[in-house]
Amino acid sequence: MKRSMSLSLTSIAVGAFILVANANSYVLPVVSPILSICHRHVDDRKSRYTKRIYRMSEKTSEGSLPNLGEGTFIETSTPKPETPSATTSKREMMKFAIAALGIYLANPLLSNIDNAFVGNTVGTQGLAALSPATICTDQMLYLFSFLSRATTGMVSRAYGSKTDGNQKMEAAAEAASAPLTVSLICGVFLSIFYALFTPNLLTMLKVTPALCSVAASYIYWRGAIAWAALAQGVTLSIMMATRDAITPLKIVALSALVNIVGDFLLCCWPFRWGVSGAAAATAFATVFSTGFMIRGLRRKGVLPKIRLPTKNELLSLTEFTGPLLAITVTRLIGFVSMQRAAMTLGVKQIAAYQLCINLIIFFLLFAEPLSQLSQTQLPALIDEENGSEVRSNLKSVLLLGVFTALGIGSLAGLSAFFGASVFSSDLIVQGLAKDAALSVFVTVATAIFAVTVDGAMLASKDFGFMLTQGLLSMMMQLLLLKTWCSNLSDIFTTFTLRLGSYAVISLIRAASGYGKLGRALSSSRNTRVNGA
């Protein structure tokens, strides 16, 4: 029974990746009309000025215009600096977004596949052990996500500052050298940290002793390749920043297939390593993916050199990494606090929490393509204070964010309610997941819209506000987790309140004309007023 369940899950996962990899051929005709409405003010604008010069006299004098014949006119164009919104077609934007979606869904999809294999081969105990284990691995790696985010900003600006194709690639490779080198150095130290301090991490999280050995085995496997995981994130960001989402999508899809096959071989047959088998499969797939990413960068001619960053490069990197690291820490503290609150409820509740939080993270990443669109389209427009283009682009992305939030949030809630049996055969765990389904819907819907807004804030580099708001919302969440939460729905509600408040306050700030984004929007309003 368990083996057949695993085979079914493998087939579903392979089908899902085939679906994403080929989505452009059949999704675009459906969604392009919607996107056309959203972006009708962006792609159709042209800066062309026409003068009609009519013949006023048969004679011409020195310095006057030549005789062109009656009714003849000359059409002259005033060139406009190339901007992302003006040069990127709707089809290209959707192609990028769909490919980016496949990339960002890869890791959470594989986490859910791991949960399914472990839940059906090891049982509730193994599924519960995965919860603290993934906190120590996935969330620790998330702590370093500032490197990939900084890479996107730095490479995107360097790539967009050039006009020649070769110069674009050279500038991108030069800008990416420092982040890639730093990611490898951080990854090596992180692997050493896991090798020495894994038991201390589990003690700090107050993990039940019965789960410690199983959780530790998972952490050791994943921790050993932390250097590859960080390098993978940076190389992927380089590809995305150079407007190439197809190459990394193919690599991630192939890596996912390798991971799924490894899960089956190491968890079901011929080996039955349980949680350790799932970790080993993920570790191998990560190294496999990183190798192919580096190969892809070399073929594109954008592979950065591994060298010690110069002082100026470190300062440029620090401009992004310092604030982003602090922001990421506040978000990570929130995730860890939610995990610790769930662990006070019991083993069954921990297993249900692990099931639900992985679904939330999986569906939450449907917002990442929208965030990436803002991060790749808006920076140049904001720097130029091209208010009309910023406003049009932002309205379009936010509108897409609203529809995506409602649709994907509903799908997440339904998955928690009807799909719990896929991840656990324990009826109590299934019942707890069903009880939390409504909270899962609200949490995912709110989070998707908040991530969409967050992309615009990252594009404007409004890090001071983001950090301040992150600290305030974190303190609110910690207070609620400590004094109010008594079940899984309460825990997820604190996450909803945190992200929802961030999104609303960010939009109010921008609409009021504060921050770089607000000033750009204000310039659009002032232009319209002056024109009137």
Side-chain angles (χ1 to χ4, degrees):
M1 177 66 181
K2 292 179 180 178
R3 185 175 300 173
S4 63
M5 175 66 75
S6 299
L7 283 169
S8 300
L9 290 169
T10 303
S11 301
I12 292 171
V14 172
F17 271 99
I18 293 173
L19 177 71
V20 172
N22 295 278
N24 289 330
S25 62
Y26 49 82
V27 176
L28 283 174
V30 178
V31 297
S32 288
I34 299 175
L35 197 64
S36 297
I37 296 173
C38 296
H39 290 276
R40 64 185 180 276
H41 297 300
V42 177
D43 294 323
D44 294 333
R45 293 184 176 182
K46 296 180 180 179
S47 60
R48 175 160 296 189
Y49 302 94
T50 306
K51 289 184 177 180
R52 294 195 175 188
I53 305 173
Y54 292 90
R55 189 183 65 167
M56 303 299 295
S57 173
E58 291 290 332
K59 297 181 179 180
T60 61
S61 59
E62 184 178 358
S64 65
L65 291 168
N67 185 351
L68 301 175
E70 187 172 0
T72 304
F73 66 93
I74 300 174
E75 186 179 60
T76 60
S77 298
T78 302
K80 184 179 180 180
E82 185 177 290
T83 62
S85 62
T87 59
T88 305
S89 70
K90 293 182 288 291
R91 187 176 182 86
E92 287 172 341
M93 290 181 70
M94 183 54 68
K95 182 179 179 181
F96 179 89
I98 291 174
L101 175 61
I103 293 167
Y104 285 109
L105 290 183
N107 284 334
L109 176 60
L110 293 177
S111 294
N112 282 285
I113 295 296
D114 284 349
N115 286 343
F117 274 101
V118 170
N120 286 280
T121 57
V122 181
T124 303
Q125 197 83 353
L127 193 59
L130 276 181
S131 187
T134 53
I135 283 288
C136 293
T137 52
D138 292 338
Q139 299 304 327
M140 185 71 77
L141 291 173
Y142 174 74
L143 179 63
F144 290 87
S145 64
F146 66 87
L147 286 171
S148 59
R149 288 179 177 270
T151 302
T152 300
M154 294 171 65
V155 175
S156 177
R157 278 181 163 84
Y159 183 82
S161 66
K162 305 296 182 181
T163 55
D164 179 71
N166 291 332
Q167 291 179 348
K168 282 178 174 285
M169 293 303 177
E170 291 175 2
E174 186 69 19
S177 178
L180 182 59
T181 302
V182 171
S183 71
L184 288 171
I185 294 173
C186 291
V188 169
F189 280 102
L190 188 56
S191 293
I192 296 172
F193 175 83
Y194 279 125
L196 299 178
F197 298 107
T198 290
N200 303 78
L201 284 174
L202 296 174
T203 301
M204 184 179 67
L205 289 174
K206 298 180 180 179
V207 178
T208 304
L211 304 178
C212 282
S213 62
V214 179
S217 66
Y218 185 92
I219 295 171
Y220 284 131
W221 274 104
R222 293 287 304 278
I225 52 87
W227 55 272
L230 294 185
Q232 179 193 46
V234 171
T235 54
L236 190 150
S237 293
I238 297 171
M239 292 274 197
M240 300 281 282
T242 56
R243 315 292 196 269
D244 180 9
I246 299 300
T247 301
L249 173 62
K250 293 177 181 178
I251 295 172
V252 168
L254 182 59
S255 171
L257 180 61
V258 170
N259 195 345
I260 294 167
V261 173
D263 276 335
F264 178 79
L265 294 175
L266 299 178
C267 294
C268 301
W269 183 88
F271 304 101
R272 295 182 181 274
W273 292 359
V275 173
S276 297
T282 301
F284 178 78
T286 300
V287 175
F288 176 88
S289 174
T290 303
F292 271 84
M293 287 285 186
I294 292 173
R295 178 171 173 262
L297 290 176
R298 182 182 292 111
R299 287 188 169 186
K300 281 175 62 72
V302 72
L303 179 64
K305 295 180 180 179
I306 305 300
R307 55 175 174 77
L308 290 177
T310 65
K311 182 180 178 180
N312 289 335
E313 287 175 333
L314 284 176
L315 289 175
S316 178
L317 183 61
T318 304
E319 180 186 4
F320 283 88
T321 58
L324 285 176
L325 175 59
I327 293 166
T328 303
V329 168
T330 64
R331 296 174 180 179
L332 180 61
I333 290 173
F335 275 115
V336 173
S337 300
M338 290 169 63
Q339 166 70 33
R340 296 186 67 176
M343 292 180 65
T344 63
L345 303 178
V347 173
K348 303 287 187 182
Q349 286 80 0
I350 297 174
Y353 173 84
Q354 175 68 9
L355 189 159
C356 291
I357 196 65
N358 272 323
L359 284 175
I360 289 172
I361 293 173
F362 173 74
F363 286 107
L364 169 59
L365 291 179
F366 276 79
E368 281 298 332
L370 299 176
S371 176
Q372 282 292 321
L373 277 175
S374 292
Q375 290 182 60
T376 55
Q377 302 289 320
L378 287 179
L381 300 175
I382 293 174
D383 291 346
E384 296 170 3
E385 294 192 353
N386 189 340
S388 59
E389 294 287 356
V390 171
R391 175 177 290 274
S392 182
N393 192 303
L394 185 61
K395 284 175 61 177
S396 300
V397 174
L398 290 178
L399 182 61
L400 287 174
V402 170
F403 287 115
T404 302
L406 293 175
I408 300 302
S410 300
L411 187 58
L414 292 172
S415 298
F417 191 85
F418 294 106
S421 59
V422 174
F423 302 97
S424 176
S425 57
D426 191 309
L427 295 178
I428 296 177
V429 173
Q430 294 177 25
L432 291 169
K434 289 182 178 180
D435 291 342
L438 180 60
S439 295
V440 170
F441 158 70
V442 177
T443 299
V444 170
T446 305
I448 285 177
F449 186 73
V451 170
T452 304
V453 174
D454 190 57
M457 301 305 293
L458 287 170
S460 66
K461 298 197 296 184
D462 199 353
F463 299 133
F465 166 76
M466 294 173 67
L467 179 57
T468 301
Q469 179 60 24
L471 288 170
L472 292 175
S473 61
M474 179 193 72
M475 290 188 288
M476 176 191 70
Q477 184 183 24
L478 294 181
L479 179 63
L480 291 174
L481 286 170
K482 186 176 181 179
T483 61
W484 180 63
C485 296
S486 59
N487 54 54
L488 296 182
S489 294
D490 292 345
I491 293 173
F492 296 136
T493 299
T494 66
F495 189 50
T496 302
L497 292 173
R498 177 176 183 171
L499 294 180
S501 64
Y502 169 74
V504 171
I505 294 174
S506 297
L507 290 177
I508 292 175
R509 173 182 168 83
S512 301
Y514 294 100
K516 290 186 69 175
L517 180 60
R519 287 193 292 273
L521 294 174
S522 295
S523 69
S524 173
R525 288 194 292 269
N526 294 336
T527 300
R528 290 203 304 272
V529 170
N530 294 334

